[in-house]
Amino acid sequence: SAELRSLSPLGEFAIDIQRHVRQFCEEVTKVPGFDLPDPIAMCVAIDDGIITSEVDKYVEVILGEGHARGQTMVDWLGVTRRPPNTRVVLRCDQTKFRQMLRAALRG
């Protein structure tokens, strides 16, 4: 995160807004660091050549009230017998992602 922060004021902002995610990862999941789901989604949208593994699955977003509201439910096992409606990206080229992220944060 120090490298990204040093790129520009935009880099500082991008790291600063991750404060709550970093804190959650440290305190709850006990996983060091944090992920960047929105930037990687944008990188995929800009250049889907970054994808190294993907599957087509049926995905539904929970719209009701309660703890699951907004959660995406992926039918990994095909139990709903519904046709796939979503391209699910499982892995991306880390080197290419980092290059794209650095370029974006340089402004």
XYZ file of all heavy atoms in Angstrom:
840
model
N 0.809 -1.193 0.000
C 0.000 0.000 0.000
C 0.857 1.263 0.000
O 0.437 2.272 -0.517
C -0.983 -0.027 1.153
O -0.345 0.122 2.394
N 2.041 1.186 0.556
C 2.925 2.360 0.573
C 3.327 2.749 -0.848
O 3.398 3.939 -1.172
C 4.160 2.080 1.416
N 3.558 1.745 -1.690
C 3.928 2.040 -3.083
C 2.796 2.762 -3.797
O 3.018 3.758 -4.484
C 4.265 0.751 -3.830
C 4.569 1.002 -5.296
C 4.448 -0.222 -6.179
O 4.255 -1.330 -5.653
O 4.530 -0.051 -7.409
N 1.581 2.265 -3.662
C 0.437 2.893 -4.323
C 0.198 4.295 -3.778
O -0.109 5.220 -4.521
C -0.821 2.033 -4.158
C -0.771 0.652 -4.798
C -2.056 -0.108 -4.516
C -0.518 0.744 -6.295
N 0.344 4.454 -2.474
C 0.166 5.757 -1.835
C 1.156 6.783 -2.398
O 0.824 7.950 -2.581
C 0.357 5.606 -0.328
C 0.207 6.871 0.464
C 0.466 6.612 1.940
N -0.607 5.878 2.565
C -1.795 6.376 2.879
N -2.067 7.628 2.602
N -2.708 5.638 3.456
N 2.359 6.340 -2.716
C 3.407 7.261 -3.167
C 3.243 7.702 -4.628
O 3.933 8.616 -5.065
C 4.780 6.613 -2.987
O 4.959 5.569 -3.929
N 2.332 7.087 -5.366
C 2.201 7.398 -6.789
C 1.630 8.789 -7.059
O 2.033 9.458 -8.006
C 1.334 6.355 -7.489
C 1.923 4.950 -7.590
C 0.896 3.988 -8.172
C 3.188 4.962 -8.423
N 0.664 9.217 -6.239
C -0.021 10.484 -6.496
C -1.028 10.741 -5.377
O -1.292 9.852 -4.560
C -0.772 10.425 -7.831
O -1.873 9.523 -7.723
N -1.636 11.913 -5.364
C -2.735 12.141 -4.410
C -3.881 11.136 -4.609
O -4.521 10.729 -3.644
C -3.186 13.571 -4.709
C -1.962 14.234 -5.259
C -1.268 13.149 -6.056
N -4.108 10.731 -5.836
C -5.129 9.722 -6.109
C -4.751 8.386 -5.467
O -5.598 7.685 -4.914
C -5.327 9.553 -7.618
C -6.427 8.604 -8.059
C -7.782 9.022 -7.500
C -6.478 8.553 -9.588
N -3.479 8.053 -5.494
C -2.994 6.840 -4.841
C -3.195 6.909 -3.336
O -3.611 5.928 -2.712
N -2.928 8.079 -2.763
C -3.165 8.269 -1.324
C -4.639 8.057 -1.001
O -4.985 7.360 -0.039
C -2.749 9.677 -0.894
C -1.260 9.908 -0.876
C -0.916 11.323 -0.441
O -1.661 11.898 0.387
O 0.100 11.845 -0.935
N -5.505 8.666 -1.804
C -6.949 8.533 -1.592
C -7.394 7.079 -1.704
O -8.153 6.586 -0.868
C -7.709 9.392 -2.610
C -9.191 9.210 -2.564
C -9.938 9.756 -1.522
C -9.846 8.492 -3.545
C -11.315 9.573 -1.470
C -11.218 8.308 -3.498
C -11.959 8.860 -2.463
N -6.907 6.380 -2.734
C -7.307 4.983 -2.958
C -6.948 4.103 -1.765
O -7.715 3.203 -1.402
C -6.652 4.446 -4.233
N -5.825 4.359 -1.144
C -5.420 3.574 0.031
C -6.188 4.030 1.269
O -6.661 3.207 2.060
C -3.897 3.668 0.253
C -3.156 3.056 -0.943
C -3.503 2.981 1.557
C -3.526 1.617 -1.256
N -6.366 5.332 1.428
C -7.068 5.848 2.606
C -8.506 5.335 2.697
O -8.987 5.036 3.784
C -7.071 7.380 2.615
C -5.706 7.964 2.936
O -4.820 7.210 3.392
O -5.522 9.180 2.704
N -9.198 5.223 1.555
C -10.593 4.781 1.609
C -10.720 3.295 1.921
O -11.821 2.815 2.196
C -11.378 5.127 0.321
C -10.804 4.409 -0.891
C -11.438 6.631 0.123
C -11.644 4.556 -2.146
N -9.613 2.593 1.928
C -9.625 1.166 2.269
C -9.425 0.931 3.771
O -9.338 -0.204 4.214
C -8.519 0.420 1.501
C -8.654 0.480 -0.002
C -9.942 -0.164 -0.479
O -10.392 -1.169 0.045
N -10.545 0.432 -1.491
N -9.372 1.990 4.561
C -9.086 1.884 5.988
C -10.003 0.898 6.701
O -9.555 0.037 7.444
C -9.178 3.253 6.651
C -8.857 3.237 8.145
C -8.806 4.635 8.741
N -10.020 5.401 8.512
C -11.084 5.391 9.332
N -11.068 4.671 10.422
N -12.150 6.122 9.060
N -11.304 0.975 6.449
C -12.252 0.092 7.128
C -12.090 -1.360 6.666
O -12.229 -2.289 7.458
C -13.686 0.570 6.919
C -13.960 1.875 7.600
N -14.009 2.000 8.970
C -14.165 3.109 7.096
C -14.245 3.266 9.281
N -14.340 3.962 8.160
N -11.804 -1.541 5.379
C -11.591 -2.897 4.861
C -10.344 -3.500 5.491
O -10.347 -4.656 5.921
C -11.478 -2.883 3.314
C -11.117 -4.254 2.790
C -12.758 -2.389 2.689
N -9.258 -2.714 5.552
C -8.029 -3.203 6.186
C -8.278 -3.578 7.634
O -7.839 -4.628 8.107
C -6.917 -2.144 6.107
C -6.269 -2.028 4.758
C -4.963 -1.247 4.799
N -4.972 -0.048 5.594
C -5.274 1.180 5.147
N -5.619 1.357 3.892
N -5.236 2.227 5.939
N -9.015 -2.724 8.348
C -9.322 -2.988 9.754
C -10.161 -4.259 9.904
O -9.890 -5.091 10.771
C -10.063 -1.794 10.356
C -10.345 -1.937 11.833
C -11.029 -0.692 12.383
O -11.219 0.307 11.688
N -11.408 -0.760 13.637
N -11.152 -4.440 9.037
C -11.984 -5.643 9.064
C -11.124 -6.888 8.834
O -11.255 -7.884 9.546
C -13.091 -5.557 8.009
C -13.931 -6.788 7.919
C -14.970 -7.011 8.809
C -13.691 -7.729 6.924
C -15.750 -8.151 8.728
C -14.470 -8.879 6.828
C -15.495 -9.089 7.738
N -10.250 -6.830 7.844
C -9.384 -7.974 7.544
C -8.474 -8.301 8.722
O -8.294 -9.467 9.066
C -8.564 -7.719 6.286
S -9.542 -7.709 4.779
N -7.906 -7.290 9.335
C -7.012 -7.513 10.478
C -7.749 -8.092 11.679
O -7.283 -9.030 12.308
C -6.344 -6.199 10.883
C -5.320 -5.707 9.894
C -4.841 -4.293 10.222
O -5.180 -3.755 11.303
O -4.145 -3.704 9.378
N -8.929 -7.534 11.984
C -9.619 -7.900 13.219
C -10.562 -9.095 13.078
O -10.706 -9.880 14.013
C -10.414 -6.699 13.736
C -9.515 -5.547 14.147
C -10.284 -4.291 14.505
O -11.537 -4.334 14.531
O -9.641 -3.258 14.748
N -11.205 -9.244 11.925
C -12.228 -10.276 11.783
C -11.725 -11.495 11.017
O -11.789 -12.614 11.512
C -13.503 -9.705 11.116
C -14.553 -10.792 10.920
C -14.070 -8.565 11.950
N -11.233 -11.286 9.801
C -10.817 -12.433 8.982
C -9.407 -12.897 9.298
O -9.022 -13.988 8.902
C -10.906 -12.112 7.482
O -9.948 -11.100 7.155
C -12.303 -11.662 7.088
N -8.633 -12.042 9.965
C -7.237 -12.337 10.322
C -6.353 -12.549 9.092
O -5.328 -13.196 9.154
C -7.136 -13.565 11.236
C -8.012 -13.517 12.461
C -7.629 -12.385 13.377
C -8.473 -12.457 14.651
N -8.643 -11.218 15.328
N -6.778 -11.984 7.966
C -6.007 -12.059 6.725
C -5.230 -10.753 6.589
O -5.819 -9.667 6.649
C -6.943 -12.253 5.505
C -6.169 -12.203 4.210
C -7.705 -13.557 5.633
N -3.911 -10.835 6.414
C -3.141 -9.602 6.275
C -3.441 -8.913 4.940
O -3.674 -9.574 3.928
C -1.688 -10.088 6.327
C -1.747 -11.509 5.885
C -3.087 -12.036 6.324
N -3.475 -7.599 4.962
C -3.720 -6.841 3.738
C -5.197 -6.758 3.411
O -6.049 -6.999 4.252
N -5.493 -6.400 2.170
C -6.873 -6.244 1.728
C -6.932 -6.429 0.219
O -5.924 -6.330 -0.469
C -7.426 -4.873 2.133
C -6.618 -3.712 1.606
C -6.969 -3.090 0.431
C -5.506 -3.254 2.288
C -6.237 -2.026 -0.059
C -4.762 -2.188 1.817
C -5.128 -1.570 0.636
N -8.135 -6.715 -0.263
C -8.283 -6.876 -1.704
C -8.866 -5.594 -2.308
O -9.250 -4.677 -1.591
C -9.150 -8.090 -2.037
C -10.531 -8.025 -1.406
O -10.908 -6.973 -0.859
O -11.237 -9.026 -1.464
N -8.902 -5.545 -3.616
C -9.401 -4.372 -4.323
C -10.440 -4.812 -5.356
O -10.176 -4.816 -6.559
C -8.231 -3.645 -4.999
C -7.183 -3.082 -4.042
C -5.922 -2.692 -4.795
C -7.744 -1.884 -3.289
N -11.635 -5.206 -4.903
C -12.619 -5.755 -5.827
C -13.104 -4.771 -6.891
O -13.299 -5.163 -8.044
C -13.765 -6.201 -4.926
C -13.604 -5.410 -3.681
C -12.135 -5.164 -3.527
N -13.284 -3.512 -6.542
C -13.767 -2.551 -7.541
C -12.713 -2.267 -8.603
O -13.028 -2.296 -9.810
C -14.250 -1.268 -6.871
C -15.462 -1.515 -5.984
O -16.243 -2.444 -6.287
O -15.626 -0.792 -4.988
N -11.459 -1.992 -8.229
C -10.451 -1.774 -9.269
C -10.248 -2.997 -10.177
O -10.071 -2.849 -11.391
C -9.174 -1.462 -8.486
C -9.672 -0.862 -7.219
C -10.925 -1.639 -6.899
N -10.316 -4.200 -9.624
C -10.102 -5.362 -10.497
C -11.294 -5.545 -11.432
O -11.132 -5.915 -12.592
C -9.761 -6.652 -9.719
C -9.153 -7.677 -10.674
C -10.959 -7.253 -9.050
C -7.925 -8.315 -10.214
N -12.493 -5.223 -10.951
C -13.674 -5.293 -11.818
C -13.536 -4.303 -12.978
O -13.877 -4.623 -14.128
C -14.943 -5.016 -11.021
N -13.021 -3.115 -12.687
C -12.819 -2.126 -13.750
C -11.741 -2.576 -14.731
O -11.873 -2.393 -15.939
C -12.453 -0.760 -13.155
C -13.619 -0.073 -12.483
S -15.081 0.104 -13.547
C -14.431 1.037 -14.907
N -10.681 -3.194 -14.226
C -9.632 -3.698 -15.111
C -10.192 -4.769 -16.047
O -9.861 -4.793 -17.235
C -8.460 -4.242 -14.297
S -7.459 -2.956 -13.517
N -11.048 -5.642 -15.520
C -11.684 -6.666 -16.355
C -12.574 -6.011 -17.411
O -12.584 -6.417 -18.571
C -12.487 -7.664 -15.490
C -13.394 -8.532 -16.340
C -11.542 -8.531 -14.668
N -13.311 -4.966 -17.013
C -14.178 -4.268 -17.963
C -13.370 -3.584 -19.064
O -13.783 -3.556 -20.229
C -15.048 -3.244 -17.227
N -12.212 -3.056 -18.713
C -11.360 -2.365 -19.686
C -10.651 -3.351 -20.607
O -10.557 -3.136 -21.813
C -10.333 -1.475 -18.953
C -11.064 -0.314 -18.276
C -9.244 -0.973 -19.897
C -10.216 0.445 -17.267
N -10.150 -4.450 -20.026
C -9.375 -5.424 -20.804
C -9.614 -6.815 -20.244
O -8.952 -7.236 -19.300
C -7.889 -5.081 -20.741
C -7.009 -6.059 -21.497
O -7.537 -6.996 -22.141
O -5.773 -5.899 -21.434
N -10.551 -7.546 -20.842
C -10.855 -8.874 -20.294
C -9.760 -9.891 -20.588
O -9.831 -11.026 -20.123
C -12.235 -9.374 -20.711
C -12.352 -9.687 -22.189
O -11.376 -9.481 -22.945
O -13.432 -10.143 -22.595
N -8.709 -9.474 -21.271
C -7.542 -10.331 -21.449
C -6.793 -10.566 -20.143
O -5.931 -11.434 -20.071
N -7.148 -9.807 -19.118
C -6.537 -9.965 -17.807
C -7.040 -11.240 -17.109
O -6.415 -11.755 -16.208
C -6.827 -8.713 -16.933
C -5.939 -8.670 -15.702
C -8.282 -8.608 -16.552
C -6.049 -7.375 -14.917
N -8.178 -11.769 -17.560
C -8.797 -12.947 -16.931
C -7.980 -14.192 -17.252
O -7.653 -14.458 -18.400
C -10.236 -13.137 -17.425
C -11.094 -11.924 -17.067
C -10.844 -14.427 -16.862
C -12.447 -11.903 -17.756
N -7.692 -14.973 -16.205
C -6.987 -16.246 -16.413
C -7.876 -17.446 -16.094
O -7.539 -18.568 -16.465
C -5.706 -16.322 -15.558
O -6.039 -16.176 -14.176
C -4.709 -15.243 -15.974
N -9.004 -17.217 -15.399
C -9.930 -18.306 -15.093
C -11.329 -17.734 -14.884
O -11.491 -16.751 -14.150
C -9.477 -19.052 -13.833
O -10.397 -20.066 -13.497
N -12.321 -18.341 -15.537
C -13.696 -17.877 -15.411
C -14.662 -19.030 -15.656
O -14.295 -20.043 -16.256
C -13.992 -16.752 -16.393
C -13.940 -17.205 -17.850
C -14.227 -16.074 -18.819
O -15.353 -15.566 -18.834
O -13.297 -15.711 -19.563
N -15.893 -18.878 -15.155
C -16.961 -19.846 -15.375
C -18.264 -19.085 -15.580
O -18.403 -17.945 -15.133
C -17.115 -20.836 -14.191
C -15.908 -21.745 -14.066
C -17.382 -20.103 -12.898
N -19.217 -19.718 -16.247
C -20.562 -19.173 -16.372
C -21.445 -19.883 -15.360
O -21.495 -21.122 -15.337
C -21.106 -19.381 -17.790
C -20.393 -18.521 -18.818
O -19.962 -17.412 -18.462
O -20.280 -18.956 -19.972
N -22.130 -19.116 -14.518
C -22.974 -19.672 -13.463
C -24.258 -18.863 -13.332
O -24.316 -17.699 -13.736
C -22.252 -19.656 -12.103
C -21.053 -20.548 -12.021
C -21.445 -22.002 -12.058
C -20.258 -22.925 -12.013
N -20.627 -24.321 -12.138
N -25.263 -19.474 -12.718
C -26.472 -18.739 -12.379
C -26.188 -17.966 -11.095
O -25.723 -18.529 -10.106
C -27.674 -19.672 -12.161
C -28.904 -18.908 -11.754
C -29.624 -18.180 -12.683
C -29.291 -18.861 -10.426
C -30.727 -17.433 -12.306
C -30.393 -18.127 -10.034
C -31.106 -17.414 -10.978
O -32.187 -16.667 -10.598
N -26.455 -16.654 -11.124
C -26.218 -15.790 -9.971
C -27.486 -14.993 -9.703
O -28.128 -14.503 -10.628
C -25.036 -14.823 -10.212
C -24.840 -13.877 -9.040
C -23.751 -15.604 -10.488
N -27.828 -14.882 -8.421
C -28.995 -14.113 -8.013
C -28.577 -13.179 -6.878
O -27.760 -13.549 -6.034
C -30.076 -15.073 -7.520
C -31.389 -14.435 -7.208
C -32.447 -15.478 -6.858
O -32.377 -16.614 -7.363
O -33.330 -15.142 -6.064
N -29.128 -11.972 -6.874
C -28.865 -11.011 -5.811
C -30.053 -11.034 -4.849
O -31.202 -10.918 -5.278
C -28.654 -9.585 -6.364
C -28.428 -8.589 -5.241
C -27.490 -9.554 -7.346
N -29.766 -11.177 -3.558
C -30.813 -11.214 -2.542
C -31.346 -9.791 -2.337
O -30.599 -8.889 -1.948
C -30.279 -11.776 -1.199
C -29.642 -13.148 -1.410
C -31.386 -11.811 -0.155
C -30.541 -14.187 -2.034
N -32.636 -9.599 -2.604
C -33.235 -8.268 -2.531
C -34.041 -8.034 -1.264
O -34.430 -6.916 -0.973
C -34.136 -8.028 -3.750
C -33.432 -8.136 -5.102
C -34.439 -7.969 -6.225
C -32.316 -7.118 -5.215
N -34.320 -9.070 -0.488
C -35.143 -8.941 0.710
C -34.436 -8.202 1.827
O -33.315 -7.727 1.693
N -35.108 -8.140 2.943
C -34.547 -7.488 4.130
C -33.675 -8.476 4.903
O -33.731 -9.673 4.679
C -35.681 -6.979 5.021
C -36.520 -5.887 4.369
C -35.724 -4.646 4.006
O -34.852 -4.242 4.796
O -35.967 -4.094 2.922
N -32.905 -7.974 5.829
C -32.104 -8.826 6.694
C -30.635 -8.813 6.347
O -30.173 -8.045 5.506
N -29.900 -9.706 7.000
C -28.444 -9.742 6.870
C -27.962 -10.090 5.472
O -26.864 -9.712 5.084
C -27.843 -10.735 7.864
C -28.044 -10.353 9.291
N -27.609 -9.149 9.804
C -28.644 -10.987 10.318
C -27.928 -9.062 11.079
N -28.565 -10.180 11.425
N -28.747 -10.819 4.712
C -28.306 -11.255 3.389
C -28.614 -10.238 2.287
O -28.208 -10.429 1.143
C -28.951 -12.597 3.038
N -29.302 -9.154 2.613
C -29.677 -8.156 1.605
C -28.453 -7.696 0.812
O -27.428 -7.317 1.381
C -30.344 -6.962 2.260
C -30.773 -5.899 1.252
C -31.488 -4.755 1.955
N -31.774 -3.664 1.059
C -32.804 -3.618 0.223
N -33.660 -4.616 0.187
N -32.993 -2.585 -0.571
N -28.555 -7.773 -0.509
C -27.471 -7.350 -1.384
C -26.438 -8.424 -1.661
O -25.559 -8.257 -2.498
N -26.549 -9.549 -0.989
C -25.591 -10.639 -1.184
C -25.836 -11.317 -2.531
O -26.964 -11.483 -2.963
C -25.747 -11.659 -0.063
C -24.779 -12.813 -0.152
C -24.929 -13.762 1.044
O -25.604 -13.459 2.011
N -24.302 -14.893 0.952
N -24.758 -11.686 -3.193
C -24.892 -12.458 -4.427
C -24.805 -13.933 -4.092
O -23.915 -14.357 -3.357
C -23.792 -12.096 -5.449
O -22.518 -12.223 -4.834
C -23.962 -10.696 -5.980
N -25.744 -14.680 -4.617
C -25.786 -16.129 -4.408
C -25.401 -16.782 -5.734
O -26.105 -16.613 -6.732
C -27.188 -16.570 -3.995
C -27.660 -15.944 -2.690
S -26.845 -16.629 -1.254
C -27.530 -18.241 -1.238
N -24.306 -17.498 -5.739
C -23.835 -18.183 -6.938
C -24.208 -19.661 -6.821
O -23.880 -20.313 -5.837
C -22.303 -18.045 -7.100
C -21.835 -18.751 -8.359
C -21.896 -16.576 -7.113
N -24.887 -20.176 -7.837
C -25.272 -21.589 -7.845
C -24.100 -22.410 -8.382
O -24.061 -22.808 -9.537
C -26.516 -21.794 -8.703
C -27.034 -23.208 -8.670
O -26.479 -24.035 -7.922
O -27.993 -23.504 -9.412
N -23.116 -22.657 -7.520
C -21.907 -23.375 -7.910
C -22.194 -24.814 -8.319
O -21.503 -25.372 -9.162
C -20.889 -23.364 -6.772
C -20.350 -22.003 -6.475
C -20.652 -21.212 -5.420
C -19.436 -21.251 -7.275
N -19.987 -20.019 -5.497
C -19.229 -20.009 -6.641
C -18.785 -21.501 -8.486
C -18.390 -19.029 -7.150
C -17.940 -20.526 -8.993
C -17.751 -19.309 -8.329
N -23.197 -25.431 -7.717
C -23.456 -26.854 -7.942
C -24.581 -27.125 -8.938
O -24.867 -28.281 -9.244
C -23.781 -27.536 -6.604
C -22.714 -27.385 -5.524
C -23.194 -28.011 -4.215
C -21.406 -28.006 -5.975
N -25.256 -26.083 -9.419
C -26.337 -26.277 -10.373
C -27.633 -26.763 -9.757
O -28.488 -27.300 -10.464
N -27.800 -26.589 -8.454
C -28.982 -27.114 -7.775
C -30.274 -26.397 -8.168
O -31.358 -26.979 -8.064
C -28.823 -27.120 -6.232
C -27.698 -28.050 -5.804
C -28.598 -25.716 -5.699
N -30.199 -25.161 -8.643
C -31.419 -24.449 -9.058
C -31.883 -24.889 -10.443
O -33.011 -24.637 -10.825
C -31.201 -22.925 -9.094
O -30.236 -22.611 -10.105
C -30.761 -22.389 -7.740
N -30.996 -25.537 -11.178
C -31.268 -25.971 -12.556
C -31.623 -24.799 -13.480
O -32.296 -24.976 -14.482
C -32.358 -27.038 -12.586
C -31.967 -28.276 -11.822
C -33.042 -29.320 -11.872
N -32.771 -30.329 -10.869
C -32.399 -31.562 -11.150
N -32.268 -31.945 -12.386
N -32.180 -32.411 -10.181
N -31.171 -23.635 -13.103
C -31.389 -22.451 -13.933
C -30.173 -22.263 -14.837
O -29.044 -22.558 -14.435
C -31.596 -21.224 -13.068
C -32.906 -21.287 -12.312
C -33.110 -20.034 -11.536
N -34.531 -19.772 -11.413
C -35.021 -18.766 -10.739
N -34.216 -17.918 -10.137
N -36.311 -18.596 -10.673
N -30.399 -21.744 -16.032
C -29.267 -21.539 -16.946
C -28.335 -20.434 -16.433
O -28.786 -19.495 -15.761
C -29.934 -21.122 -18.255
C -31.258 -20.581 -17.859
C -31.668 -21.319 -16.609
N -27.059 -20.539 -16.730
C -26.115 -19.499 -16.312
C -26.556 -18.131 -16.832
O -27.037 -18.004 -17.963
C -24.800 -19.925 -16.965
C -24.944 -21.393 -17.176
C -26.405 -21.610 -17.474
N -26.407 -17.122 -15.996
C -26.745 -15.752 -16.398
C -25.609 -14.766 -16.116
O -25.759 -13.575 -16.330
C -28.027 -15.292 -15.684
C -27.880 -15.233 -14.175
O -26.867 -15.645 -13.613
N -28.899 -14.728 -13.506
N -24.484 -15.294 -15.622
C -23.386 -14.416 -15.217
C -22.034 -15.060 -15.496
O -21.841 -16.247 -15.256
C -23.483 -14.105 -13.705
O -24.770 -13.556 -13.438
C -22.408 -13.134 -13.259
N -21.139 -14.248 -15.979
C -19.743 -14.650 -16.143
C -19.051 -14.375 -14.814
O -18.985 -13.227 -14.367
C -19.147 -13.802 -17.259
C -17.699 -13.972 -17.524
C -17.322 -12.926 -18.551
N -16.001 -13.100 -19.056
C -15.402 -12.198 -19.807
N -16.005 -11.082 -20.145
N -14.189 -12.417 -20.247
N -18.549 -15.400 -14.173
C -17.901 -15.262 -12.869
C -16.395 -15.387 -13.076
O -15.905 -16.434 -13.495
C -18.401 -16.345 -11.875
C -17.708 -16.182 -10.530
C -19.920 -16.283 -11.727
N -15.684 -14.319 -12.792
C -14.231 -14.303 -12.936
C -13.619 -14.852 -11.659
O -13.894 -14.371 -10.570
C -13.721 -12.881 -13.226
C -12.198 -12.852 -13.275
C -14.322 -12.353 -14.525
N -12.801 -15.884 -11.811
C -12.180 -16.533 -10.658
C -10.751 -16.058 -10.403
O -10.323 -15.948 -9.262
C -12.179 -18.053 -10.856
C -13.556 -18.686 -11.068
C -13.409 -20.154 -11.417
C -14.433 -18.483 -9.853
N -10.016 -15.808 -11.472
C -8.613 -15.386 -11.331
C -8.249 -14.419 -12.451
O -8.769 -14.517 -13.555
C -7.672 -16.577 -11.411
C -7.806 -17.556 -10.275
C -6.682 -18.597 -10.319
N -6.865 -19.610 -9.321
C -6.586 -19.479 -8.031
N -6.100 -18.360 -7.595
N -6.789 -20.465 -7.194
N -7.321 -13.535 -12.103
C -6.794 -12.580 -13.080
C -5.278 -12.567 -12.997
O -4.691 -12.966 -11.993
C -7.322 -11.177 -12.794
S -9.058 -10.979 -13.163
N -4.662 -12.099 -14.059
C -3.215 -11.957 -14.121
C -2.796 -10.855 -13.144
O -3.073 -9.672 -13.370
C -2.818 -11.605 -15.554
C -1.331 -11.452 -15.752
O -0.651 -10.865 -14.890
O -0.847 -11.916 -16.798
N -2.136 -11.237 -12.054
C -1.765 -10.274 -11.004
C -0.805 -9.199 -11.500
O -0.936 -8.032 -11.146
C -1.141 -11.003 -9.817
C -2.131 -11.806 -9.027
C -1.485 -12.442 -7.796
O -0.380 -12.087 -7.386
N -2.186 -13.384 -7.199
N 0.135 -9.602 -12.327
C 1.121 -8.638 -12.833
C 0.436 -7.583 -13.693
O 0.658 -6.380 -13.521
C 2.215 -9.361 -13.644
O 2.858 -10.303 -12.784
C 3.235 -8.368 -14.190
N -0.432 -8.025 -14.588
C -1.143 -7.085 -15.454
C -2.065 -6.182 -14.635
O -2.160 -4.982 -14.888
C -1.936 -7.848 -16.518
C -2.502 -6.963 -17.583
C -3.038 -7.788 -18.739
C -3.451 -6.872 -19.860
N -3.872 -7.603 -21.048
N -2.745 -6.764 -13.625
C -3.609 -5.951 -12.763
C -2.811 -4.860 -12.067
O -3.197 -3.694 -12.043
C -4.329 -6.829 -11.730
C -5.001 -6.035 -10.645
C -6.066 -5.195 -10.956
C -4.566 -6.096 -9.336
C -6.692 -4.445 -9.961
C -5.184 -5.356 -8.340
C -6.249 -4.530 -8.659
N -1.688 -5.229 -11.496
C -0.856 -4.238 -10.796
C -0.377 -3.138 -11.741
O -0.329 -1.964 -11.368
C 0.322 -4.925 -10.115
C -0.097 -5.731 -8.910
C 1.085 -6.376 -8.223
N 0.644 -7.165 -7.088
C 1.058 -8.379 -6.829
N 1.949 -8.968 -7.588
N 0.589 -9.020 -5.777
N -0.030 -3.501 -12.969
C 0.400 -2.508 -13.952
C -0.746 -1.552 -14.269
O -0.547 -0.333 -14.324
C 0.873 -3.196 -15.231
C 2.181 -3.925 -15.092
C 2.489 -4.815 -16.300
O 1.623 -5.102 -17.138
N 3.738 -5.277 -16.382
N -1.937 -2.091 -14.484
C -3.099 -1.263 -14.798
C -3.451 -0.368 -13.616
O -3.780 0.809 -13.802
C -4.286 -2.137 -15.192
C -4.084 -2.880 -16.499
S -5.450 -4.019 -16.874
C -6.697 -2.847 -17.457
N -3.391 -0.905 -12.406
C -3.713 -0.121 -11.214
C -2.725 1.021 -11.028
O -3.104 2.169 -10.795
C -3.728 -1.034 -9.978
C -4.098 -0.370 -8.662
C -5.510 0.215 -8.709
C -3.976 -1.378 -7.517
N -1.441 0.714 -11.164
C -0.429 1.777 -11.042
C -0.648 2.879 -12.067
O -0.557 4.063 -11.758
C 0.972 1.190 -11.192
C 1.457 0.427 -9.993
C 2.906 -0.036 -10.186
N 3.258 -1.060 -9.255
C 3.382 -2.358 -9.559
N 3.242 -2.778 -10.797
N 3.684 -3.229 -8.631
N -0.916 2.473 -13.309
C -1.135 3.459 -14.372
C -2.353 4.343 -14.062
O -2.304 5.555 -14.261
C -1.326 2.745 -15.714
N -3.408 3.751 -13.557
C -4.611 4.509 -13.217
C -4.363 5.483 -12.062
O -4.850 6.613 -12.071
C -5.753 3.561 -12.876
N -3.592 5.043 -11.073
C -3.357 5.880 -9.902
C -2.315 6.981 -10.144
O -2.243 7.940 -9.375
C -2.949 5.018 -8.708
C -4.051 4.092 -8.187
C -3.537 3.244 -7.047
C -5.278 4.881 -7.778
N -1.542 6.826 -11.210
C -0.593 7.898 -11.545
C -1.327 9.108 -12.102
O -0.813 10.204 -12.110
C 0.434 7.406 -12.553
C 1.529 6.592 -11.929
C 2.657 6.303 -12.910
N 3.490 5.272 -12.373
C 3.496 3.987 -12.764
N 2.706 3.602 -13.751
N 4.277 3.122 -12.189
N -2.547 8.863 -12.614
C -3.372 9.954 -13.117
C -3.113 10.369 -14.488
O -2.571 10.064 -15.380
